[in-house]
């Protein structure tokens, strides 16, 4: 059962207040943490190198920290391939080597305070990236303006070209949803409409190994951003208000129940954040359409029964929190001075005033 349900509202409020107090004690200069779980293949090394160098060129040397979790291969593999001194300059001691999946590695790095000091006092956002995401050429200034204006603590860039794929669909080529998904009558908008049959949808995922890309992550040209109830695990940004919530092992033990597989987390985290932080107006998650990224879809995750077991466990234990995988709005214009959402135990203190076009 969901651990949060076992706590009284007062205990939950106290827990979140403690988390918020640690955030308020943070230093004035907060960075962005780019986090990758990587192997030792040449294509991975070169793509991450390009992404890192481009981010520094656009954001400055002090904008960001870069962290690598080597789940396959070693630091030595990278040093043999990279220019001399590159790894020490950009990564340094911010790496770990262990065979595990991305979010369990991120959890380990957080627990270790990898890089020195509490993450809540160092980072505004953690960007948990798959190694096949191409960021080069991205308009970071516009992206972070929209991320902050969205008022959403869980955000992902939309995906250009091929749609992004959630981990529960990582290794498959699915054939349709047979009645639980449809597009509206205006193909140009591609607005996703989904019936509330979450149990049937998740059961379908577990039984059918041939699954398609998730269309919700596709870039929509008519939106700056969209608030949704679902953000994939492929390239999300977790704000400092919520990353500790997920990465502290006792906060939500049912979110990542199986260290050998981590499917299912993205099916519940938007609704979990909404309830835990009392976020109103369906703003716990958002896709940023104005600044898409490329998902190269290398399909390096080889799913097995452990992944299926993880997805099934999350679906069964956290069933009330399962996403319908739907858009709530299409934000077409963002004010220059958009307010920023502030989370606390009493819920949002301000919400971003965004001009939205629904449907």
């Amino acid at each position: 059962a969901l651990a949060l349900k076992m706590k009284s509202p007062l205990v939950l409020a106290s827990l979140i207040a403690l988390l918020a107090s640690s955030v308020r004690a943070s230093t004035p200069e907060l960075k962005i943490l780019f986090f990758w779980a990587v192997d030792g293949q040449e294509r991975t090394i070169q793509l991450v190198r390009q992404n890192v160098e481009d981010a520094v060129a656009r954001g400055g040397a002090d904008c960001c920290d870069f962290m690598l979790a080597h789940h396959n291969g070693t630091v030595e593999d990278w040093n043999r391939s990279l220019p001399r001194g590159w790894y020490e300059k950009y990564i340094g001691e911010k790496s770990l080597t262990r065979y595990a999946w991305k979010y369990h590695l991120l959890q380990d790095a957080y627990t270790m305070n990898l890089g020195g000091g509490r993450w809540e006092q160092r980072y505004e956002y953690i960007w948990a990236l798959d190694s096949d995401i191409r960021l080069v050429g991205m308009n970071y200034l516009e992206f972070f303006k929209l991320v902050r204006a969205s008022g959403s603590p869980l955000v992902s860039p939309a995906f250009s070209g091929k749609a992004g794929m959630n981990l529960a669909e990582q290794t498959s080529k699915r054939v349709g949803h047979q009645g639980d998904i449809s597009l509206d009558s205006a193909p140009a908008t591609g607005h996703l409409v989904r019936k509330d049959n979450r149990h049937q949808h998740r059961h379908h995922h577990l039984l059918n190994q041939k699954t398609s890309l998730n269309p919700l992550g596709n870039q929509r040209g008519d939106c700056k951003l969209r608030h949704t109830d679902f953000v994939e695990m492929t390239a999300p940004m977790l704000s400092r208000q919520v990353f500790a919530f997920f990465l502290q092992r006792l906060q939500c033990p049912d979110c990542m129940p199986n260290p050998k597989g981590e499917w299912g987390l993205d099916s519940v985290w938007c609704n979990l954040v909404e309830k835990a932080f009392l976020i109103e107006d369906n703003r716990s998650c958002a896709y940023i359409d104005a600044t898409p990224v490329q998902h190269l879809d290398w399909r390096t995750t080889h799913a097995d029964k452990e992944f299926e077991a993880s997805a099934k466990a999350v679906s069964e234990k956290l069933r009330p929190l399962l996403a319908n995988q739907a858009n709530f709005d299409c934000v077409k214009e963002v004010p220059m001075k958009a307010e920023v959402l502030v989370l606390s135990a009493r819920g949002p203190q301000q919400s971003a005033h965004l001009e939205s076009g629904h449907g």
Side-chain angles (χ1 to χ4, degrees), residues 99 101 104 206 256-264 302-314:
Y99 181 76
W101 301 108
H104 286 88
L206 294 175
M256 293 189 290
N258 187 352
K260 297 181 180 179
E262 55 186 24
W263 281 358
H302 302 290
D304 56 19
K305 291 183 179 180
E306 299 289 352
F307 281 78
E308 294 180 7
S310 177
K312 185 176 181 180
V314 172

Side-chain angles (χ1 to χ4, degrees), residues 59-104:
D62 297 327
C63 74
C64 320
D65 279 349
F66 306 99
M67 189 172 291
L68 299 182
H70 298 270
H71 66 84
N72 195 353
T74 65
V75 175
E76 288 69 29
D77 295 332
W78 283 61
N79 277 325
R80 281 193 294 268
S81 181
L82 292 166
R84 183 183 298 273
W86 190 97
Y87 198 98
E88 178 62 29
K89 176 181 179 181
Y90 291 108
I91 310 300
E93 300 299 318
K94 297 184 292 297
S95 71
L96 70 157
T97 302
R98 188 170 78 85
Y99 181 76
W101 301 108
K102 181 171 71 173
Y103 287 88
H104 286 88

Side-chain angles (χ1 to χ4, degrees), residues 106-172:
L106 183 59
Q107 197 172 53
D108 288 345
Y110 171 83
T111 303
M112 297 163 55
N113 290 323
L114 191 63
R118 293 185 62 187
W119 286 16
E120 294 92 333
Q121 298 177 357
R122 295 162 54 199
Y123 301 123
E124 182 184 9
Y125 294 98
I126 295 175
W127 203 346
L129 293 155
D130 279 9
S131 59
D132 58 357
I133 296 295
R134 180 175 174 81
L135 304 174
V136 175
M138 184 180 188
N139 186 338
Y140 285 104
L141 184 64
E142 178 72 4
F143 176 65
F144 283 105
K145 168 193 166 185
L146 293 172
V147 166
R148 295 177 181 115
S150 72
S152 300
L154 262 171
V155 179
S156 173
F159 301 97
S160 61
K162 292 182 178 181
M165 191 187 306
N166 72 24
L167 286 180
E169 301 169 331
Q170 185 83 16
T171 59
S172 44

Side-chain angles (χ1 to χ4, degrees), residues 221-232:
D222 59 328
C223 308
K224 292 283 189 180
L225 63 91
R226 288 167 287 135
H227 293 98
T228 74
D229 70 346
F230 176 83
V231 161
E232 299 178 23

Side-chain angles (χ1 to χ4, degrees), residues 15 49 73-74 115 145 238 252 277 298 330 334 338:
L15 185 64
R49 174 191 174 185
T74 65
K145 168 193 166 185
L238 290 77
C252 187
F277 289 90
W298 289 343
C330 170
V334 178

